[in-house]
Each structure stands twice: as C-alpha cells, then as structure tokens.
Amino acid sequence: MNPDGGLYIHVPFCHAKCEYCDFYSITLLDQIEDFVEALLREIELRAADFREVTFTTVFFGGGTPSLLSAAQLRRIWEALQANFRIDPQGEFSIESNPGTLDLPKLQAFREAGFNRLSMGVQSFNPQELKFLGRIHSVAEVYNSFENARMAGFSNINIDLMTAFPGITRETFRHSLEAALALESEHISCYTLIFEPGTVFYKRMLRGELSPLGEDEEALYYELAAEVLAKHGYRQYEISNFARGDHVCRHNLIYWKHRPYLGLGPSAHSFWQNTRFGNKRSLSAYVRHLKKGELAEDFRETLSQDDLMFEYIFLSLRLREDWIWRIFKPASGSRFTPAIRQRSSGCWRII
Amino acid sequence: MSMENIRNFCIIAHIDHGKSTLADRLLEATGTLDKRQMQAQVLDSMDLERERGITIKSHAIRMNYKTPEGKSYVFNLVDTPGHVDFSYEVSRSLAAAEGALLLVDAAQGVEAQTISTLYQAIDNDLIIIPVINKIDLPSAEVDSVKHQIMELIGCEEEEIVLASAKNGIGIEEILQAIVERVPPPMGDPNAPLQALIFDSQFDSYRGVISLVKVFNGEIQDGDGITFMITDRDYEVEEVGNLLLKRVRTKKISTGEVGYLICGAKNVRDIKVGDTVTHTKKPAPKPLPGYRQVKPMVFAGIYPVDTQDFENLRVSLEKLVLNDSSLIYEPETSSALGFGFRCGFLGLLHMEIVQERLEREFDQTIIVTTPNVVYKVTTTDGEMHFVDNPSKMPEPGVQEKVEEPLIDAHIITPPEYIGNIMKLTNDKRGILKNTSYIDPSRADLHYHLPLAEVVFDFFDRLKSVTRGYASLDYEFHGYMESKMVKLDIFINGEVLDALSVIVHKEKAYEHGRMICQKLRKLIPRQMFEVVIQAGIGSKIIARESVKALRKNVLAKCYGGDITRKRKLLEKQKEGKKRMKQVGRVEIPQEAFLAVLSADD
C-alpha cells in the first residue's frame, strides 16, 4: 500500500447557508466547541489505523473553517501532529469566507501551519453575490486577499462560480478579470448545479429559477478556460486552473485514487480499497464521539471492478493523459471488457 | 317451464345511463340475488369492465319472476357489450332476445350509441320498452327526454316507464312491462336443433364456455353436436342455466338461453354467430346473421425491455383464449426489436387489450401508432391489403390507394355544431345529412376516413363539445384517397416504429410535429443528430439535435466518490432502456411520447 495520503477536516459551520450549497453545514455557531471536542476524539480513535500513512496534505474544508478561532485551530493541529505522521513539506489548506478574514486571523492561520488559503469569492459583482446568498462584499474580497498576502500566504486559491441564473457574459468576464488582477496561484471555476435538497433546487421546482441550457453553460465554461489559459493558468482538472506548479495536491489525491482520511461530520475516507463516511449530522457525530465511538454512516469495500471503474471516471477529470495507461494502482490488472462497458458514457456526468 | 312463460330481453343504454344498476335491481327484485350476494354491478365481472363502466363481454343471467297475480315467469337478461367496436357481438346478443329495455338517462337524454344499438334491435324485431332512468335527479328533464324517445321510436307517452334504478323506483313496472310487452320466444321444440352462439369465454378448468339461445329443438348433455359454420363436431359435456353461477340442468329447451360446454379448448374454435345443431339430425341451414369478424385497426405491440418478448408472446397466447377477435403475428422493428403486429376491432378494443396485457399479465409494452387497412393497387394491377406501413408499396409503383370509410353519427346539442364542423373538416369528413331528434339535439351524419378517427378524433370531439356530443359509427366501404407513407429518419436511418400512412395534405404537418417532438426527446450525443421526415426519398421536415457540449460537474466535495459512482451506475441503468438506432441512442420515453402523439 502506498503510504502517502491526504487528511481532510470538515468544519460544518457557516454564518449563513448559501442557497445553492449542499455541503453539510449548520449555522448554530455555539456548537463549535462541542465539535472541536468531538473532532479531537475522532483524531485519537482513527490514529491507530493510519499510523503508517504519511499525510502529504491537510485540508480544512466546510462549511467555513475560518470561523474557528486561532486557539481552536491550534488545538486541532496539535492533535493532528500528535496522532498522525504529517509531512512537514506538505500542503496545508484552509477554506475561508472573505467575510470572516482579518489580518490577525490570517496571521494565526499561518502560525497554526497553513500554507495555502482558499477563498470562496464566487463573483466580483455585488448583485450576484447577493443572489448567491454570500455574506461578503466585493471590497472585503480585496481586503482579505491583501491581508492574506501580508500574512505570508504565497499559495492562494480563488473560487468562482459560473452559469447561474442571471449571470451574463459581461459580469462573468468582469469576475474573471478581477480574479486575474489579484494574481492568485490557483483559480477554481465551478458551474452551478441545482442539487436536490438546496433552496435553489426547490426554487427551480417551483419555477422561480431556471438552469441555463447546456449550450449556455458550455459557453461560460469555455470562456473561463479560454481567458484563464491566456493568462497562464493551466487547466489541470475540469474545474481547476493553476499557475506554475500550484496545483491543489489535496484534490489530486481524490482524483488519483490515493488514500485519504476524512474527519468531522459527513467527511469521507478511502483507505485500503474501502470507502467510508461519517454521519451527516453534527449532533449524531458529537453524541457518538462522546461515547468514545466513531460516527460512521456507511462503509463499503470496493470490488476490483468498482476500483477500475472509479479509476477511469476519476481520471477523466484530469488533463493528464491517462486513458491507455495500464491500470496499476492495486493489482496491475488491465481493463477488462466488463470495465470498458461499465465506463461507456461516463463523460456525461463526470 | 313452457315457452309461453319465458321472456328474453336485453338492456340498451349509453355508458353511465345506469344499465348495470338497473340489472342489479332486477336481480334483487326477482330474488335472484340477495343483498349479501350483491356486489355492485354483478354483470360486469372483469375489473376493467367495472372500472370503465362498460361491458366488454356478453353475459346472460336467469331470473324467476312471480307476478302479483301469482304467475311464474323465467326472465333471461342478455347483457350486451356497450361499444361500437363490438357491434357484431351486440347484434348476435340482440338476436338472442325478443325484447329490449331502452334505458335513457333523464338528465343526459338520448345519445348516439343508444341510437345505433336501438336500430339494430329494431332490425332484429325486438319489442322496445322505453325506460327513463334517474328521474329523481335534480337535473332530470323528464318531459324533454320523453319527447326525444317518442320521436325516436314513435311510441306513446304512456308506454314510457319512469324509473330510478338507484333508488328502486319503477322496478316493479319494468318487470310487469317485460311480462306484458315482450313476446315469448317462438320456435318449434320438435324441429331439428338450432342454437345460436352469442358469446364465448374461456375457463381454465372447463375450456370454452359458450352462451347459447335455442331457437328450435332442444340440446342435452351427451348430444353429438355440429357447429354449422366451422363444421366442427363436439359432444355436449354440460348445459345449463346461468344464474349468478352456472347451474347444470342437463337440457336447454326451445326459447331458452343458457350455457354450453363441449370440450373446445380455444375460443377461436367457436365463432360468435355460429349455429349449433345435432350431428345426427342436422338443421337444413344455420341461423342467419353470421359474419366473419375482421380487425379494423392494427398496431405493433412491443415489450419495453426486449428481453420480455417471450413473456409477451405467452401473455398474448393466454389473452386470445378469451378474446377471439384479437389477432397477432410476430414482427420485427429495427427500433423496437421483436414484437407483434396486432389487429383489433377498433380503438377501444386496442385499449382494452393494452390494459389487459398490462394489468392481468403485468407486461410493460409500447404500442405503435395504430393504422387501418389500406387497399393499394400497384401498377401491375395487383391489389394489396396494407395493414402495416412497412408493407406499403413504393410510391412509384402505386396505381391507387383506397382507405376505409365509416358512417358516423354524431349527436350533439346544436350550439356545438360549429366546433364539430371545424373538427370534421380537419379530419376530412363529409357531412351527409343533419337531422334533429328534438330542438336540443342534432344528429350529424358523416362519412369519415377511419384512419382519422383512429388518431384522436374521439378525445377531440369530447373536448370541442365539452363532453356533450356522442359518436357512433360503422364501417361503410373503401374510398380512393391520396395516402402516403411518411418515414422518420434519424441520421439517415429509418425509425420504422414511427412510420405512418397519412393523407398527403397532412404529411407535412405530421412530419414536422414528430420531428419537433423527437428533437426535444433525443438526448444530445457526441455528434449532431439530424431528424427528418420524408415521403419516399423526399424530405419534408427537418430538425437537429446539436452535439453535446462539454458537460461540467461541480465539486466532488470531501471526497464523496461513492455518491458519484452511484450516480454513474444509475445513469447506466437508464442507458439500458435506450434503443440504439445507428449510432444514436434514443430513450424509450421518446418513443412512448411520440407514439402517444395527440397534440
């Protein structure tokens, strides 16, 4: 088994829930402390199984991890360091909401050990930010970005969203250009998806919002790829663009079928051909861990076919020339006819 | 029981005018059934019949009636199917009776279907007893309906019985009218046996059970019998009366109605309208009125999942045991795979077959656009019956095409005549005559191409007249017509399941409609898909489905690959239901949507 892996911490808190988002998060900020306690427990419980892995990336996602206080972050980090083997040269990312960042906080992130900052900007147009339900302003984006640089972040990602109702070619171009002007190392550009369970989805069912047509979506997608490429951002994954070698190493672990451990409610893990995930409920998570037990929701061991199938569809997300490479990760076996058949048509929803 | 005391009668009524309820009341009043045995609408025994409120198979039931003066009578109620598709069966059932109750809803008045069955009854010399039902409804218009009836059958006002079957009003009067007005059956008990088969059903234990009326002579258990039309010999296993259940009597005498079991294993072996006689002492000739029933409407039936072909075949085999008018033969479609070409008496019959396959046999099927039988004369002088668009000769070798025409009566309140004219005009109808049953009811007599009626005529008629008009029709003959075969092409390949024969002037509109529908239903592929409609090699409509663009999905958060994989697996399930036409994958739903084309 390959001893390299990624570590993911899911911080399920937000000031406000964005109407399009279906990641697990809640707005009851008074429960953050309970969460941290439970997380520390989970770290200890998982330690034994993952002792041999060297974690080359750590990613705090959410939710809004930047809602955690400097002290809380420090405690989590100390627990991680104490229980897992973490590569000191690793990539340590934290997702943040530009509305929750100030210089001291950013400095605290740096001191805690983070070396990569991901900012959920989404748009540089005030009306669009409002439509998406974001709490930050455009001015705060500029401020936060500047502060991040001052705090010493030399690897920053900007998340942009596209193809949502109301966006125009002009507003999107403006967002792209504004992001480019900041010269971040990495830009992610995601197409809006109406996910079941979100407010947007309900509004779509009620006919209040209608998704853009496929051709329209493609236009925005192509516009992003074209503009970003022109400015030296390489599209190494369908929605991710990086300057130089600043690819997100953590995300690549997912796509490249490497092991990873997810901690926190709703976090998923992949280890020794087994996928498992935690319960998507903070209270259940806290309750189980208080009793000293894991809060797993499911666990499935993948068959050889499943593995190959995943390998193909995950690889399809990447620019890297993968397709006729021999399937190696687990067994060295080649693609079977069954696998070829299973994979046909995958491009449609990858 | 002497023939003098037998009364055979039927009930003529439009759907919903209360025929089954009246039958239930009569059974109750004569003590044939007690309340405990009552199941709403005893006569309609199939689920489908109860649900749709129509009778598909004929039935017969015997009642014993004692008049207030103490005289005993035997009543045989012969229940007839209630739809034009089964008009031949109706005519045979009518032939088994001497009288008919003409049941008219006091609020709805006389309807087209009632009239045509009524005329058939009059043609069969049945005595008509007019009954107005539902007289206690707030919306009842008894006087106006009385006038309609008097106009229609030329009776006196006093002859009309007023009733409410639901609330038991007028039941006794009806029973007495049957005694007094319906003549006893005629016939010679000593003459050679002549018994009319007026319907048959299949019973998995006993084989075919036929309903018979004995016109002359008598029939007994063990008799050697011959069916005169089919010329088949059998031995009588069992005869008897039909009460709620079969009651074996060993003998059916002249004038009586009963059932006959003779060991036939297939309803096809025993034709409705055939005459039973004794093999040793045969009657000189069969009873009049036999006709070979021919299907009028054809359509392909395919399993949705091609692997279910064998199941479908077995289901059809079982279904025809009880439905002698359905015919089928295997056919292949490049788009739908293996299936069957089926012939039906009419649209309702087709719907019934479809529903029975789905319900009783649990089949998931696609039914292609129905078509009628065309007579095509080719340049070599030969005549072809074309019951399938794929058999249509090429336009170049066609000398002439003839299509079936129907004689249709539409009965409607006069305010809808304008709408009906517009609709019939659109359907290539020719108005032959307009008459008025009374000032509030016009009878429009049309010649209409059957093919047009097969499409969506009835639904549209109902919608343009807000449900007030009623339609009845019978086959009239063939008429030369400019019919063409319209094909649908997907990237140059014919989608045979969607080929139709249409009138030349409608081909363009129809072709465009199908192309537009398909454009919305065919998912994007990696290449452009061109959908065309054409006559021969001439393209008359075109649409295209643009090639698939890059399809981008959002974040796969926190490494939840499992969900993504399951989504993909699910999509693959969906792909199983796609039909491959050339390189193009077409979802099953597209066919269903196009084949259910009604707008």
Side-chain angles (χ1 to χ4, degrees), chain A residues 94-230:
Chain A
I94 182 165
E95 282 184 338
S96 67
N97 185 314
T100 62
L101 296 174
D102 54 28
L103 186 56
K105 185 149 215 173
L106 287 158
Q107 281 164 339
F109 289 171
R110 287 289 298 142
E111 278 155 28
F114 291 106
N115 55 20
R116 184 172 182 274
L117 181 73
S118 177
M119 292 171 64
V121 174
Q122 315 310 354
S123 166
F124 283 85
N125 301 290
Q127 291 90 343
E128 290 176 353
L129 286 174
K130 208 171 151 208
F131 170 75
L132 295 169
R134 303 296 297 189
I135 55 163
H136 64 267
S137 66
V138 176
E140 279 171 323
V141 173
Y142 288 116
N143 264 332
S144 303
F145 195 88
E146 202 172 311
N147 288 337
R149 287 290 192 222
M150 273 204 292
F153 277 103
S154 57
N155 190 356
I156 303 179
N157 166 55
I158 288 176
D159 270 348
L160 290 179
M161 185 165 291
T162 189
F164 48 82
I167 196 170
T168 67
R169 227 97 54 237
E170 288 66 41
T171 58
F172 184 52
R173 197 176 271 278
H174 171 71
S175 290
L176 281 172
E177 280 164 2
L180 286 166
L182 290 174
E183 298 186 336
S184 64
E185 284 68 31
H186 191 281
I187 293 177
S188 298
C189 183
Y190 293 108
T191 302
L192 174 71
I193 290 187
F194 288 81
E195 297 278 7
T198 62
V199 177
F200 268 29
Y201 189 77
K202 283 173 208 139
R203 290 177 64 189
M204 176 182 77
L205 294 185
R206 287 203 298 264
E208 294 167 19
L209 289 179
S210 41
L212 272 59
E214 209 168 63
D215 282 336
E216 276 287 286
E217 281 185 10
L219 277 175
Y220 286 102
Y221 178 70
E222 285 163 358
L223 182 62
E226 181 198 315
V227 171
L228 293 172
K230 210 181 284 174

Side-chain angles (χ1 to χ4, degrees), chain B residues 456-470:
Chain B
D456 55 353
F457 184 78
F458 194 64
D459 289 340
R460 282 182 62 190
L461 178 68
K462 285 285 172 197
S463 83
V464 301
T465 63
R466 298 168 64 200
Y468 279 108
S470 57

Side-chain angles (χ1 to χ4, degrees), chain B residues 197-362:
Chain B
I197 301 287
F198 61 91
D199 205 353
S200 296
Q201 5 194 335
F202 182 77
D203 179 287
S204 40
Y205 299 105
R206 306 300 313 268
V208 180
I209 301 173
S210 301
L211 303 184
V212 294
K213 153 102 184 270
V214 178
F215 278 78
N216 288 307
E218 59 176 34
I219 185 168
Q220 296 194 40
D221 283 8
D223 285 357
I225 52 169
T226 302
F227 286 84
M228 298 181 81
I229 303 285
T230 55
D231 200 23
R232 283 166 181 267
D233 293 347
Y234 290 97
E235 191 185 301
V236 177
E237 284 179 8
E238 182 180 330
V239 289
N241 294 327
L242 289 148
L243 273 79
L244 194 57
K245 292 203 172 84
R246 295 190 298 272
V247 176
R248 188 169 187 171
T249 57
K250 299 191 174 166
K251 185 174 90 174
I252 311 175
S253 312
T254 314
E256 284 195 293
V257 170
Y259 70 90
L260 161 72
I261 300 172
C262 61
K265 291 284 170 267
N266 189 331
V267 278
R268 250 151 245 269
D269 297 341
I270 295 183
K271 304 269 185 206
V272 170
D274 203 345
T275 301
V276 181
T277 193
H278 283 128
T279 314
K280 289 204 174 131
K281 189 186 157 198
K285 58 177 192 213
L287 296 161
Y290 174 80
R291 215 173 69 206
Q292 176 74 33
V293 185
K294 283 212 190 87
M296 303 280 278
V297 174
F298 288 80
I301 293 186
Y302 289 85
V304 165
D305 188 336
T306 45
Q307 295 182 338
D308 290 337
F309 173 75
E310 200 46 36
N311 286 336
L312 179 59
R313 194 177 58 74
V314 171
S315 302
L316 278 168
E317 269 171 19
K318 286 191 187 151
L319 194 137
V320 295
L321 285 178
N322 212 359
D323 183 345
S324 58
S325 17
L326 172 69
I327 61 161
Y328 66 96
E329 59 180 37
E331 78 170 354
T332 327
S333 148
S334 61
L336 299 175
F338 290 103
F340 296 92
R341 191 83 193 155
C342 300
F344 312 93
L345 297 176
L347 270 193
L348 179 78
H349 186 213
M350 178 171 111
E351 275 175 40
I352 288 167
V353 168
Q354 188 177 346
E355 276 196 53
R356 291 188 63 194
L357 281 173
E358 284 169 350
R359 275 193 207 192
E360 293 170 33
F361 299 96
D362 203 21

